[in-house]
Amino acid sequence: MRFRDGQWLPAEGVRAEYAEEVYRITETPSGKGISLLCPTKKIMTRGDILNLATLSVDIEAAFDGCISVTTTHWQGAAQRGPNFELFPAGQPDIPAQITKSAKGTTLSAGSLSATVSSKPHDFDISFHSTDGSKKLTTLLNRSVGFAMNPGPTTPLATEDMSKIKHYIFTQTTLGVGESVHGLGERFTAFNKVGQKVDLWNADGGTSSDQAYKNISFWLSSRGYGIFIDTPERVELEIGSERCCRVQTSVEGQRLKWYIIYGPSPREVLQRYSILTGAPGSVPAWSFGLWLSTSFTTSYDENTVNTFLAGMKARDIPVEVFHFDCFWLKAFQWCDFVFDEDMFPDPKGQIARLKAEGTVKKVCVWTNPYLGQASPVFAEAAEKGYLLKRKNGDVFQWDLWQTGMGIVDFTNPAACKWFVECLNKLFDIGVDSIKTDFGERIPTEDVQWFDQSVDPKRMHNHYAFIYNRLVYEALQARYGANEAVLFARTATAGTQRFPLTWGGDCESTPEAMAESIRGGLSLGLSGFAFWSVDIGGFEGYPEPWIYKRWVAWGLLCSHSRLHGSNSYRVPWTVDEDDSSDEGCSATLAKWTHLKARLMPYLFSQAQHSTKNGIPLSLRALCIEFPDDPTAWTVDRQFMVGESLLVAPIFEEYGSVQFYLPKGKWTNFFTGEVKAGPAWFTETHNFGTLPLYVRENTLLVLGKAGEKRTVYDYDTDVEVRSYFAGEGTKAVLVDNTGKEVGVLEVKGGGVTGKKALKGDFVVTVVNA
């Protein structure tokens, strides 16, 4: 929200007041910080303290490299929940150090410090590395304050605050050339400088400034990140109100955020994962191809069987089959019961499919809404499992499902009932749940079962409690590391419950690019795993779009074919073109390649979850933070630390891409290119720019491998790409357990005793 009209004037109807000086500094009650008393005018005489607002700014050490900043106007305001679950694995202990010098008072949290200027009648708080080598950002004059709208003309007007909106805001400085990234799965420009961003979950598709996954964390190219510690609506003006500042504002009396020092993006993300939780692990089978029925298409048991038989006949292994919405009876979403007219024996069908080997796992679509035509609606309403209006009525509207209600997950009984419904699905052979929706959570005229929560804070937070409940139900049934969601909505901390996909994209090259920007941004927000609707959700993809999408979609961490009103099995897209360049052959090639990459992918996945970094899509700036171009590239990505992918957006295969500094080897041809430089290539549908970074030992499954789950240390091919002394590759089994380490020593590869069967080591660049 903008509080000013240009640099000099207040916005119409707004009264803003600012912390004009630091009047007093005291130690906080925790003993780990300092509290600043900041009047909203400079105190030149004793009488200046009267009829005056003040702001409190509390600065505390959280852990090494992380400091919190809390700004408060009226401290008596109630602090209602819900709140983010911070430090789920425990808060690391660090003693705060408070020192004073002629320059000011400094609070240090290990490698990060904040210094409050000692200049009289000044407001200047700088954040910097403790060793003084790196200046990060600053809170300067008129950068911390509160605003009221409409602006009262007299303090007496604040007697009735029901008619006045009150905001707290801070403005951190933007350095010359600094870029800002993350803030969830955002489909707008990769660098957020110049944008207004509202953190408010919405079902807006991939072609707008709305986002399904709003994450209140952003990453700066200057070596730090900021996490805003509130699930309510946060409005950011990122170099858009003041070109040299990032303004963060919330409606209320209090704003808290954490600044996290790197200096590299890897270190920032790793520390962010300490604060909000590390990404959860996913099983190896989830990396295989997922095939969906699509959304509004007509399908029954025979359709499903035909799809899977057709994929098997075309040598396209399907790991997971997904039943989308119409496994349920029309108007009865979501009552957890297969439509008996279309699926008379779902348990038997699932068992037969698995026994025949046409599919390994089954996923079904669910959401937390109940249409009133569903038989379970009356039960849920009677027992108080649904969100209510303030007058006691069940909250209903005709948005999405007729007269639908919303499951109230603040009610423990409702949670237990919901899990019981899920368990009935698990009993018939369902292995995974697509947790769709959860964005359109109302905030007006609602009463939650837990009356202590603030409806406005529940809007975004609902995504967390919804996905956690389903994820933990899957864990309880199948084991801690066997749980997999396919979720659309998220908030900070939801990375603990993988995985997510990118929502409703169109079947166009522009939507491919939008989706990639969304995946890159989510990866820079602490999420390790991500998928996309291959071929696009809306519309009928042209065969060339489908094939270009398949190529990079199979190089995402997770890969699903899904559409809206048209099928995504390849033979329906191109009239069953049986040539080597047809959709079926193209999908088979890329599915087989992903299977061969599994020893590398699954090893990198363990590293990603341990360190809070994305497996894919991984922005180039994570691997090459000192390369300015890497912070601008938004049409390509890394898969793990060693593979670079440049998707193709043109029918005839022309693509321009960037390679950072070093030697890069074409995975398919062995051709070597040297960066940093831009290149242009032309590809058919069976290849794209897939380049291997130097100093890589790439472990692949054997030639011809088509399975997703196998022994990743047996019969493998180890390729050496300009691998110098000390280059390593960690070997894991198909549960993610480390079983050995290959390392280049003395010109050879050591650790080969961990390899089994007929393995081969190839020096590609001999």
Side-chain angles (χ1 to χ4, degrees):
M1 181 173 181
R2 297 191 177 190
F3 302 113
R4 300 197 68 80
D5 178 5
Q7 191 167 344
W8 310 119
L9 301 176
E12 181 70 26
V14 173
R15 177 180 175 85
E17 299 195 45
Y18 304 87
E20 295 285 0
E21 70 168 77
V22 177
Y23 182 78
R24 181 185 299 143
I25 302 176
T26 57
E27 189 174 303
T28 59
S30 69
K32 292 192 173 184
I34 53 177
S35 182
L36 317 181
L37 179 63
C38 305
T40 53
K41 74 174 182 180
K42 298 183 186 300
I43 307 302
M44 310 306 291
T45 68
R46 298 191 74 177
D48 288 338
I49 69 168
L50 302 175
N51 299 311
L52 178 68
T54 63
L55 288 150
S56 299
V57 180
D58 296 330
I59 307 172
E60 294 203 326
F63 59 95
D64 181 17
C66 183
I67 287 174
S68 70
V69 179
T70 306
T71 302
T72 310
H73 179 203
W74 291 334
Q75 298 199 12
Q79 297 184 27
R80 302 179 67 190
N83 298 299
F84 289 130
E85 292 187 0
L86 302 186
F87 304 108
Q91 182 172 358
D93 186 40
I94 183 170
Q97 292 187 334
I98 301 172
T99 57
K100 294 185 178 182
S101 69
K103 291 185 177 180
T105 301
T106 298
L107 169 72
S108 298
S111 58
L112 175 65
S113 292
T115 297
V116 182
S117 172
S118 61
K119 292 180 180 178
H121 309 298
D122 193 21
F123 186 91
D124 183 333
I125 307 169
S126 64
F127 300 91
H128 54 90
S129 61
T130 299
D131 63 11
S133 63
K134 187 85 171 179
K135 179 181 177 181
L136 305 176
T137 189
T138 309
L139 292 169
L140 290 173
N141 175 53
R142 295 203 155 194
S143 63
V144 173
F146 67 89
M148 288 185 270
N149 185 14
T153 56
T154 169
L156 289 173
T158 61
E159 177 184 9
D160 183 3
M161 287 298 292
S162 66
K163 297 181 176 64
I164 300 173
K165 289 189 175 183
H166 185 285
Y167 300 88
I168 292 282
F169 61 85
T170 60
Q171 295 178 346
T172 52
T173 54
L174 274 173
V176 176
E178 182 175 358
S179 57
V180 169
H181 307 268
L183 292 169
E185 184 190 55
R186 314 210 75 84
F187 308 106
T188 55
F190 182 50
N191 178 6
K192 302 303 181 283
V193 173
Q195 297 182 40
K196 178 186 188 303
V197 176
D198 288 350
L199 301 181
W200 191 251
N201 285 356
D203 178 6
T206 69
S207 195
S208 76
D209 61 353
Q210 296 181 5
Y212 303 103
K213 306 170 189 68
N214 286 271
I215 312 300
S216 53
F217 170 79
W218 53 270
L219 182 72
S220 165
S221 60
R222 287 178 67 88
Y224 70 95
I226 286 189
F227 169 64
I228 306 152
D229 184 17
T230 178
E232 65 197 288
R233 182 193 292 270
V234 178
E235 298 181 85
L236 296 113
E237 298 283 352
I238 308 172
S240 50
E241 178 172 344
R242 290 204 63 182
C243 299
C244 56
R245 294 183 180 181
V246 177
Q247 177 176 281
T248 304
S249 64
V250 296
E251 186 177 352
Q253 298 289 339
R254 175 180 175 269
L255 170 61
K256 182 176 184 179
W257 45 261
Y258 292 80
I259 181 167
I260 306 168
Y261 178 49
S264 74
R266 281 176 172 268
E267 292 167 296
V268 175
L269 289 170
Q270 193 275 329
R271 285 173 169 150
Y272 173 71
S273 74
I274 293 173
L275 191 60
T276 63
S281 297
V282 289
W285 57 261
S286 70
F287 287 77
L289 180 64
W290 295 50
L291 174 64
S292 164
T293 58
S294 292
F295 170 33
T296 60
T297 53
S298 177
Y299 72 94
D300 57 13
E301 179 175 344
N302 183 63
T303 311
V304 173
N305 295 342
T306 301
F307 279 176
L308 289 170
M311 296 290 274
K312 185 175 183 179
R314 291 164 177 81
D315 199 21
I316 306 169
V318 176
E319 197 73 28
V320 185
F321 190 81
H322 169 70
F323 292 81
D324 214 57
C325 308
F326 278 97
W327 67 275
L328 301 156
K329 193 178 289 292
F331 290 107
Q332 294 186 194
W333 302 349
C334 174
D335 62 4
F336 307 97
V337 179
F338 273 83
D339 181 347
E340 68 276 8
D341 295 330
M342 298 294 183
F343 303 98
D345 179 23
K347 183 175 183 179
Q349 180 192 8
I350 292 171
R352 289 188 293 273
L353 290 173
K354 291 181 178 179
E356 293 164 0
T358 54
V359 72
K360 304 294 195 307
K361 303 289 183 179
V362 166
C363 173
V364 296
W365 173 94
T366 65
N367 67 42
Y369 309 147
L370 295 180
Q372 67 181 14
S374 167
V376 302
F377 179 90
E379 174 193 1
E382 178 186 357
K383 294 183 177 179
Y385 299 161
L386 302 179
L387 179 63
K388 293 184 178 180
R389 294 188 183 273
K390 291 179 179 178
N391 66 1
D393 292 347
V394 171
F395 184 96
Q396 291 180 265
W397 51 19
D398 295 326
L399 182 65
W400 179 243
Q401 288 289 285
T402 302
M404 74 169 214
I406 300 170
V407 179
D408 184 347
F409 292 124
T410 71
N411 182 346
C415 293
K416 182 180 178 181
W417 167 78
F418 199 85
V419 170
E420 288 171 353
C421 294
L422 294 174
N423 280 327
K424 292 176 182 177
L425 294 176
F426 303 155
D427 289 342
I428 66 173
V430 172
D431 306 281
S432 177
I433 300 294
K434 175 180 172 180
T435 50
D436 204 353
F437 287 88
E439 302 92 0
R440 291 173 174 165
I441 305 303
T443 60
E444 302 298 328
D445 190 27
V446 296
Q447 181 61 65
W448 293 88
F449 177 85
D450 180 354
Q451 297 187 20
S452 70
V453 303
D454 181 342
K456 292 182 180 179
R457 295 169 72 89
M458 277 299 300
H459 176 86
N460 286 348
H461 191 68
Y462 190 87
F464 181 88
I465 58 177
Y466 165 37
N467 285 301
R468 177 177 63 182
L469 182 72
V470 180
Y471 186 74
E472 290 179 351
L474 284 161
Q475 286 184 311
R477 174 57 67 99
Y478 295 117
N481 295 321
E482 286 291 311
V484 184
L485 302 180
F486 226 91
R488 190 173 73 173
T489 187
T491 189
T494 318
Q495 68 271 9
R496 293 160 53 189
F497 320 124
L499 66 113
T500 63
W501 97 97
D504 299 345
C505 48
E506 297 174 323
S507 298
T508 65
E510 292 79 12
M512 281 198 279
E514 292 164 4
S515 296
I516 289 170
R517 292 195 297 270
L520 292 171
S521 294
L522 191 67
L524 292 176
S525 305
F527 285 68
F529 307 111
W530 182 82
S531 186
V532 66
D533 287 346
I534 295 175
F537 177 73
E538 294 287 353
Y540 298 80
E542 294 289 333
W544 76 266
I545 290 176
Y546 180 91
K547 289 182 283 189
R548 295 299 182 199
W549 210 315
V550 159
W552 70 268
L554 266 295
L555 292 170
C556 297
S557 72
H558 291 76
S559 307
R560 182 182 68 155
L561 294 164
H562 181 62
S564 178
N565 54 2
S566 60
Y567 301 123
R568 291 293 176 266
V569 286
W571 57 90
T572 65
V573 178
D574 64 358
E575 298 182 349
D576 203 11
D577 180 352
S578 60
S579 72
D580 286 345
E581 291 288 297
C583 290
S584 294
T586 299
L587 179 58
K589 289 175 187 176
W590 291 102
T591 305
H592 299 169
L593 174 59
K594 190 170 190 182
R596 285 203 72 195
L597 287 171
M598 279 303 296
Y600 168 77
L601 290 174
F602 207 50
S603 175
Q604 289 287 304
Q606 312 316 307
H607 181 76
S608 289
T609 55
K610 181 180 179 181
N611 293 282
I613 57 176
L615 171 60
S616 171
L617 307 182
R618 183 179 297 182
L620 268 63
C621 59
I622 293 178
E623 295 297 327
F624 305 96
D626 297 326
D627 182 342
T629 303
W631 289 92
T632 69
V633 174
D634 64 359
R635 296 190 301 277
Q636 56 191 77
F637 56 89
M638 300 292 293
V639 181
E641 60 187 13
S642 297
L643 298 180
L644 183 146
V645 179
I648 300 172
F649 304 95
E650 301 289 341
E651 179 175 3
Y652 298 106
S654 178
V655 55
Q656 188 177 47
F657 61 97
Y658 176 74
L659 295 177
K661 183 179 180 180
K663 296 177 181 177
W664 297 85
T665 305
N666 186 305
F667 178 86
F668 299 104
T669 67
E671 179 187 2
V672 177
K673 287 182 166 63
W678 286 89
F679 300 91
T680 300
E681 293 179 354
T682 301
H683 289 258
N684 292 328
F685 295 111
T687 61
L688 52 57
L690 176 60
Y691 278 83
V692 187
R693 188 179 183 178
E694 66 182 8
N695 288 313
T696 292
L697 288 176
L698 183 63
V699 184
L700 301 169
K702 64 185 178 183
E705 182 62 75
K706 300 173 184 177
R707 298 169 297 170
T708 302
V709 182
Y710 52 93
D711 293 329
Y712 301 143
D713 58 356
T714 304
D715 299 334
V716 297
E717 178 185 358
V718 181
R719 293 185 184 179
S720 173
Y721 292 89
F722 294 106
E725 192 77 6
T727 300
K728 295 180 181 180
V730 177
L731 300 170
V732 299
D733 64 18
N734 57 33
T735 70
K737 179 183 177 182
E738 183 177 321
V739 295
V741 178
L742 304 177
E743 183 175 359
V744 176
K745 286 185 178 180
V749 177
T750 64
K752 289 185 286 188
K753 289 183 178 179
L755 299 174
K756 303 173 185 175
D758 296 325
F759 65 88
V760 61
V761 179
T762 304
V763 180
V764 177
N765 309 110

